[in-house]
Amino acid sequence: MPKPPHLVPLNALEQQLYSELLPDGRASHPISKGEPSHPKEEDHFGQLELIQDFVEWSLRNNLQINAGKTKELVVDFRRRINPPPALVNILGTDVDVVESHKCLGVHLNNNLDWTHNTDALVKKGNSTLFLLRRLRSFGVQGPLLRTFYDSVVGSAIFYGIVCWSSSITDRNRKRMDRLVRRASSVLGCPLDSVQVVGNGRMMAKLSSMLNNTSHPLQDTLTALGSSFSERLLHPRCVKERYRRSFLPAAVRLHNKNNAR
């Protein structure tokens, strides 16, 4: 998935140059690509067409894409080894293909296994735990210390937990739980594990989605509704990766709570 490109206004000379490239409203090969050599490559070339349309729209609106800061993250789980797709080339600059990318504070990689994200959370969690220990060494304790944990340490450890709590690996979950136990020893009181916090926030998120008629997944959730109970039909999951993602996991939690 390409990183959203950076746009900067064109100066007068660049406007004149690119206007010559757009005599009929279309750019002259803003993205270079070959012809698909395999049927499975059609999706990739369809993506290139979308990018090309965006580049042309940018040029028509006097905007220039900073291709040097644009990155592409390719997620491909096909077992058959195929030739790598052609590089995206925007206005003569090849877009770099990366294995991981940070989007809104959440680290994604091309395996979707949350390893890079866990590494970042553990690193940030350790730094905030140091601050928690320093506060305790200064004599801060009780509710004030717990407030600092909830607002600083917990928010760092559990950032984006709705996205990754159901699909994180056992090894990474143990790493996160180790941070929580260390924070618990500093506070001197028990704390909820990563799984407990994740389940609670997933349920809260699903509830808000069900009550929000303008949510993009509202039609999907409506189709999963039952006519004779408050339970939701479980989505059909062909792959284990999808079964452990947010929506199926949240539906299972929802049905489990309604069965009590």
Side-chain angles (χ1 to χ4, degrees):
M1 59 184 72
K3 177 182 177 181
H6 295 252
L7 301 178
V8 294
L10 298 174
N11 56 38
L13 180 60
E14 291 173 328
Q15 292 182 25
Q16 180 181 1
L17 172 63
Y18 289 121
S19 63
E20 296 175 356
L21 296 175
L22 298 168
D24 58 349
R26 297 187 62 85
S28 175
H29 306 294
I31 296 182
S32 62
K33 57 184 178 63
E35 295 297 329
S37 59
H38 193 277
K40 291 185 178 180
E41 296 181 8
E42 293 180 358
D43 293 340
H44 176 70
F45 284 93
Q47 179 190 22
L48 292 180
E49 292 292 342
L50 292 176
I51 300 175
Q52 179 176 351
D53 292 340
F54 178 74
V55 172
E56 295 173 357
W57 176 88
S58 302
L59 296 177
R60 289 195 299 269
N61 289 273
N62 299 327
L63 294 173
Q64 181 182 10
I65 296 179
N66 191 339
K69 293 184 178 180
T70 304
K71 308 298 179 184
E72 182 181 11
L73 178 65
V74 179
V75 180
D76 188 356
F77 296 109
R78 291 177 295 184
R79 296 182 179 180
R80 182 177 178 180
I81 300 177
N82 296 312
L87 292 176
V88 177
N89 186 289
I90 299 179
L91 299 175
T93 302
D94 290 336
V95 175
D96 295 333
V97 179
V98 297
E99 295 183 356
S100 64
H101 172 61
K102 182 179 179 181
C103 181
L104 299 178
V106 177
H107 294 258
L108 303 173
N109 60 11
N110 54 3
N111 292 324
L112 300 182
D113 58 5
W114 302 108
T115 300
H116 292 77
N117 187 68
T118 304
D119 293 340
L121 292 179
V122 170
K123 182 179 180 180
K124 191 170 184 179
N126 285 326
S127 63
T128 55
L129 278 178
F130 171 77
L131 300 177
L132 188 67
R133 295 192 189 95
R134 292 291 291 175
L135 283 178
R136 189 186 63 172
S137 67
F138 294 151
V140 179
Q141 55 184 340
L144 185 58
L145 197 62
R146 178 58 187 265
T147 300
F148 181 84
Y149 167 80
D150 292 333
S151 59
V152 178
V153 182
S155 62
I157 296 176
F158 302 129
Y159 183 81
I161 192 172
V162 173
C163 302
W164 51 261
S165 64
S166 60
S167 55
I168 193 174
T169 62
D170 292 338
R171 177 179 177 273
N172 289 332
R173 189 184 302 277
K174 291 178 180 178
R175 295 173 62 192
M176 300 296 295
D177 283 334
R178 193 177 301 116
L179 280 176
V180 176
R181 289 195 299 269
R182 290 164 60 187
S184 176
S185 64
V186 175
L187 294 174
C189 63
L191 296 173
D192 292 334
S193 64
V194 172
Q195 183 173 0
V196 173
V197 175
N199 290 348
R201 296 192 183 182
M202 279 199 299
M203 285 297 300
K205 185 63 177 179
L206 180 62
S207 178
S208 66
M209 291 166 57
L210 291 171
N211 297 328
N212 184 5
T213 57
S214 61
H215 194 277
L217 289 178
Q218 182 61 225
D219 293 340
T220 302
L221 294 174
T222 302
L224 297 177
S226 175
S227 59
F228 55 88
S229 69
E230 296 182 356
R231 294 169 60 89
L232 296 174
L233 299 177
H234 194 278
R236 182 175 180 269
C237 303
V238 178
K239 300 293 185 179
E240 178 67 14
R241 186 180 300 106
Y242 176 53
R243 194 188 73 84
R244 297 180 60 186
S245 62
F246 164 73
L247 185 58
V251 168
R252 290 194 298 271
L253 287 174
H254 176 81
N255 293 338
K256 182 179 179 180
N257 291 339
N258 287 328
R260 295 176 180 176

